[in-house]
Amino acid sequence: MNKKTLFASLRRVLVPVVHGCSNDSTLKLAQALEPEVVLVGLGRLPDDESLSAGASKAQELRKLLRKLGRGEQVRARSQVLVTSEPWPELQRVIQIEDPDLLLLEYTEQLFRLGLSPHEVLSRPPCDVGLVRGPVQSLERVLVPVRGGPTAELALRIGLNLAPKALDALHIQLKGDANPNAPFQAIERVLQRMPEVKLQSALTDDTTRTILDRARKTKADLVILGASARPAQTNTALGPVAERVIAEVPSAVMVVKTRRPAPASFADERVGAGAISLLVDKWFAQNTFQADEFADLGQLVELKREQGVTLSLALPALNEEATVGKVIRTVKRALMDEVALLDEIVLIDSNSTDRTRQIARKAGIPVYIHQDLLPEHGARRGKGEALWKSLFVTQGDIVVWIDTDIVNIHPRFVYGIIGPMLLNRDIQFVKGFYRRPLRVGDKLQAGGGGRVTELTARPLINLFYPELSGVIQPLSGEYGGRRSALERCAFTSGYGVETSLLIDIYELFGLSAIAQVDLLERIHHNQTLEALSKMSFAIIQTVMRKLERHYERAFIADVNKTMKLIRYEAGGYYLDVEEIAELERPPMIEVPEYVASRAGKPAEVSRPPASANRG
């Protein structure tokens, strides 16, 4: 699967194939963007031209479309358009196809269709790119930016082209009273994109600066925005874009978004598109499928080449119905048949059923987390078990999966491991899946993830929008490099997944996180009361992170008790339960852990320069 097809903003590009034109530049750019490319044959019929000429043009267009519309990426519409009014007809096609970008050749196609740039750009029905070719190469791309939605579109297209070098040039006009306001949201994002070279230029001649930089960098393509408000200028493109498209020696694409320009760059909504740039790019590059790693022999070879060891820790509390099958399935596939895992351990939370006996019979070490690190006391909760599992495991990479998975498959483990073996910069991997719920004898498709969608993701979108592309932040299947995990604080209860995700992001940056599609996970549902407690703990966890970020307290200890509403014998009453998300320090700060690891060489994970340390 090509990762760039996951960019939500460029899933489909519409390219008119215009009668009498070469169409090469627009088609080459569309294919380089790698979404679905839709071709529509389009010919203009002047008023004084006979209908028979229209039939001839239609035949030629159909022949050309059959030639061009081959392959999985390119699709040609069956109906060609030969009309005296090409722009209204093309707009109707846009309504049907709903493309994210329309590419038109600036001079030849517009001339052949009898269109002006103003006609196309004044009220664009979708995002538009006007291309002045020829496009010879796409190795080096220059994107001049000031800020706002059109600049975000130009950067998005540049990123999707994935050139060897992408130069972003921030233009500041001399004498501008507030030169950075339009650029601030984009700058925040670009600082976290090491593949983008960001430079600034203070000038009184924007066009000359762009032309000079294009020549100096030997840019193959310059992408810049049309005027945000063409009605206020003498040209539809804007004076800068018109001069650049006329004078720059390389290929040029002038873009215009259908998103309205903000009335003021102080408008908070201005930054939304810039954040979307970052999240969409991450989603495309760091979202994997478990099937990509089904070749276990290849994973073992990568493991051997890198000299790393792998541990699987299984947290459990009263899971006798499923724990045996989970252990047998994973152990047979990933330890006995291939040597991918170096150890599997069970971290039990003092189960009262046969969970521990079943695990011992399956041949794996069993620990009761309440008995580990007794000097630090014992707390309830899954997070406590995960924290202490770092103490008893040895692997350079540690993976956790829940032990209540009904449809267990080895992919739940190798899917988590794969991205880290494939890319050494990835520090932490989250699993996601479809979550049908088993209620009695029936299976409810898509019934899971209620706390995720009603609590976790809304909070993340609100306070940590860079993490908004994480599909299931609360999934129980995830793992990371020990050298990263040991630097994270662990909450003891339901908030542990949220806490780890935020800590990894703040320590190492968004690019250090990946997610993998594990297909489907079947498990048993929890009661509404249990879900309410989980939500309460997750809210506490996010508030704790925000308190540290802003260095002020938001919630008092008294607010960490939850009033549960009960009904009994015909009446309601309140029951108070303490659900305080206590936090364990990073394991690297625990003396017993440091002593146990003394003398053992380990990977060292360092936050990249672009990481957010907020």
Side-chain angles (χ1 to χ4, degrees):
M1 179 181 60
N2 191 311
K3 293 299 176 61
K4 287 195 289 184
T5 61
L6 292 171
F7 272 86
S9 62
L10 289 176
R11 57 187 172 79
R12 183 177 299 132
V13 173
L14 182 66
V15 177
V17 175
V18 178
H19 184 268
C21 297
S22 66
N23 304 291
D24 290 340
S25 295
T26 50
L27 186 55
K28 182 174 182 178
L29 276 170
Q31 290 177 304
L33 290 168
E34 295 194 21
E36 178 190 9
V37 178
V38 180
L39 305 181
V40 54
L42 192 59
R44 178 174 174 243
L45 191 63
D47 294 335
D48 58 354
E49 194 165 316
S50 68
L51 293 175
S52 60
S56 175
K57 287 182 178 181
Q59 290 172 8
E60 292 176 22
L61 283 169
R62 284 193 292 268
K63 183 179 179 180
L64 182 57
L65 288 176
R66 283 195 296 270
K67 178 182 176 181
L68 297 176
R70 295 173 180 173
E72 293 183 2
Q73 182 188 0
V74 180
R75 169 172 63 87
R77 286 177 59 86
S78 58
Q79 183 180 5
V80 300
L81 306 174
V82 179
T83 173
S84 59
E85 296 184 332
W87 182 236
E89 292 286 347
L90 187 55
Q91 287 179 300
R92 280 190 278 273
V93 173
I94 290 171
Q95 287 183 331
I96 296 169
E97 292 290 347
D98 189 28
D100 301 298
L101 183 67
L102 168 69
L103 285 182
L104 274 168
E105 206 280 327
Y106 174 66
T107 52
E108 189 180 21
Q109 286 189 341
L110 289 183
F111 173 77
R112 289 280 184 176
L113 295 174
L115 297 176
S116 68
H118 178 78
E119 193 172 0
V120 175
L121 297 178
S122 59
R123 293 181 179 272
C126 65
D127 292 348
V128 177
L130 298 182
V131 182
R132 197 225 64 198
V135 178
Q136 303 291 355
S137 173
L138 290 169
E139 292 194 358
R140 185 141 206 161
V141 175
L142 173 65
V143 184
V145 291
R146 290 259 301 150
T150 294
E152 292 160 9
L153 173 61
L155 278 170
R156 189 183 297 276
I157 292 172
L159 287 164
N160 273 264
L161 290 172
K164 289 184 179 179
L166 178 58
D167 299 299
L169 176 62
H170 176 212
I171 303 289
Q172 299 182 57
L173 288 174
K174 291 180 180 179
D176 194 335
N178 193 7
N180 288 318
F183 184 66
Q184 286 175 346
I186 289 179
E187 183 179 32
R188 177 185 175 191
V189 170
L190 292 182
Q191 288 173 345
R192 303 177 204 176
M193 292 183 174
E195 69 273 36
V196 179
K197 185 178 180 181
L198 176 61
Q199 296 181 331
S200 295
L202 183 63
T203 181
D204 54 9
D205 189 340
T206 299
T207 307
R208 179 52 50 195
T209 300
I210 294 173
L211 293 173
D212 290 345
R213 191 58 56 93
R215 292 189 181 97
K216 183 177 180 180
T217 61
K218 298 180 180 179
D220 299 303
L221 174 68
V222 177
I223 307 174
L224 74 162
S227 172
R229 300 176 182 88
Q232 298 176 7
T233 68
N234 295 325
T235 66
L237 299 178
V240 172
E242 186 160 275
R243 279 188 59 194
V244 169
I245 208 168
E247 298 181 34
V248 76
S250 61
V252 182
M253 183 192 299
V254 178
V255 300
K256 179 69 182 296
T257 180
R258 67 175 172 181
R259 290 170 55 198
S264 165
F265 281 105
D267 190 335
E268 293 180 355
R269 293 171 295 178
V270 173
I275 288 294
S276 180
L277 267 176
L278 180 69
V279 175
D280 286 356
K281 176 179 177 294
W282 172 84
F283 190 92
Q285 295 180 347
N286 284 33
T287 299
F288 298 85
Q289 288 185 327
D291 289 347
E292 294 180 55
F293 310 107
D295 186 344
L296 301 182
Q298 186 180 54
L299 289 184
V300 172
E301 181 62 20
L302 287 172
K303 171 192 169 186
R304 184 193 63 78
E305 290 174 359
Q306 296 172 30
V308 295
T309 54
L310 308 177
S311 297
L312 172 64
L314 302 171
L317 174 62
N318 296 328
E319 300 293 355
E320 64 178 7
T322 52
V323 68
K325 184 179 178 182
V326 169
I327 294 170
R328 290 191 300 271
T329 300
V330 174
K331 184 173 181 292
R332 180 173 60 249
L334 305 183
M335 284 188 79
D336 300 339
E337 296 178 2
V338 300
L340 184 61
L341 289 175
D342 294 285
E343 67 174 339
I344 302 176
V345 303
L346 184 86
I347 307 294
D348 186 64
S349 296
N350 214 4
S351 296
T352 56
D353 65 2
R354 297 178 56 253
T355 295
R356 292 193 298 277
Q357 295 92 312
I358 293 171
R360 291 191 184 100
K361 187 176 180 180
I364 69 168
V366 174
Y367 300 91
I368 300 175
H369 87 245
Q370 287 88 343
D371 296 339
L372 297 172
L373 295 172
E375 300 85 353
H376 297 270
R379 295 175 181 171
R380 294 182 301 169
K382 177 184 175 182
E384 179 85 348
L386 301 186
W387 183 67
K388 290 182 176 178
S389 72
L390 291 178
F391 180 68
V392 298
T393 54
Q394 302 300 317
D396 300 309
I397 292 175
V398 181
V399 175
W400 297 293
I401 69 171
D402 287 338
T403 49
D404 65 344
I405 304 173
V406 175
N407 62 323
I408 185 63
H409 186 279
R411 68 173 178 271
F412 285 92
V413 178
Y414 68 66
I416 301 294
I417 293 170
M420 286 182 279
L421 292 180
L422 190 67
N423 182 348
R424 299 190 189 197
D425 292 331
I426 292 175
Q427 304 294 322
F428 187 69
V429 179
K430 290 288 295 185
F432 68 91
Y433 27 68
R434 295 182 299 278
R435 298 182 64 183
L437 284 181
R438 187 174 297 282
V439 181
D441 296 330
K442 296 182 179 180
L443 205 62
Q444 297 180 354
R450 289 166 287 177
V451 176
T452 294
E453 295 303 327
L454 297 177
T455 302
R457 282 186 49 78
L459 282 171
I460 286 171
N461 273 270
L462 185 61
F463 295 113
Y464 297 93
E466 293 87 346
L467 293 171
S468 59
V470 178
I471 293 175
Q472 285 173 348
L474 305 185
S475 72
E477 285 60 54
Y478 53 95
R481 299 184 189 276
R482 176 179 296 274
S483 50
L485 296 171
E486 66 187 7
R487 296 178 58 184
C488 297
F490 281 64
T491 60
S492 299
Y494 292 125
V496 64
E497 284 85 11
T498 307
S499 175
L500 281 174
L501 182 63
I502 293 172
D503 274 8
I504 292 287
Y505 165 66
E506 292 189 330
L507 284 168
F508 298 97
L510 184 60
S511 62
I513 300 169
Q515 60 184 351
V516 60
D517 185 355
L518 301 176
L519 302 182
E520 183 176 270
R521 185 192 194 278
I522 299 175
H523 64 112
H524 296 285
N525 67 314
Q526 297 194 55
T527 65
L528 185 60
E529 181 177 300
L531 297 178
S532 179
K533 295 178 184 178
M534 187 182 300
S535 296
F536 187 60
I538 291 165
I539 293 169
Q540 281 188 54
T541 299
V542 172
M543 290 300 105
R544 183 191 297 270
K545 300 299 180 186
L546 293 173
E547 285 178 341
R548 290 183 178 171
H549 182 85
Y550 292 105
E551 298 181 346
R552 57 175 297 183
F554 296 151
I555 52 176
D557 288 341
V558 68
N559 301 119
K560 297 174 184 177
T561 58
M562 187 174 184
K563 281 73 174 176
L564 300 171
I565 300 174
R566 311 282 193 191
Y567 180 83
E568 188 176 286
Y572 291 94
Y573 67 96
L574 294 178
D575 189 11
V576 179
E577 184 170 336
E578 182 178 2
I579 308 175
E581 279 295 277
L582 303 175
E583 192 173 76
R584 290 297 195 180
M587 189 58 82
I588 197 67
E589 299 175 7
V590 176
E592 295 87 345
Y593 175 80
V594 175
S596 73
R597 302 290 297 175
K600 177 178 171 56
E603 292 181 313
V604 176
S605 296
R606 296 180 177 89
S610 58
N612 172 24
R613 297 172 177 274

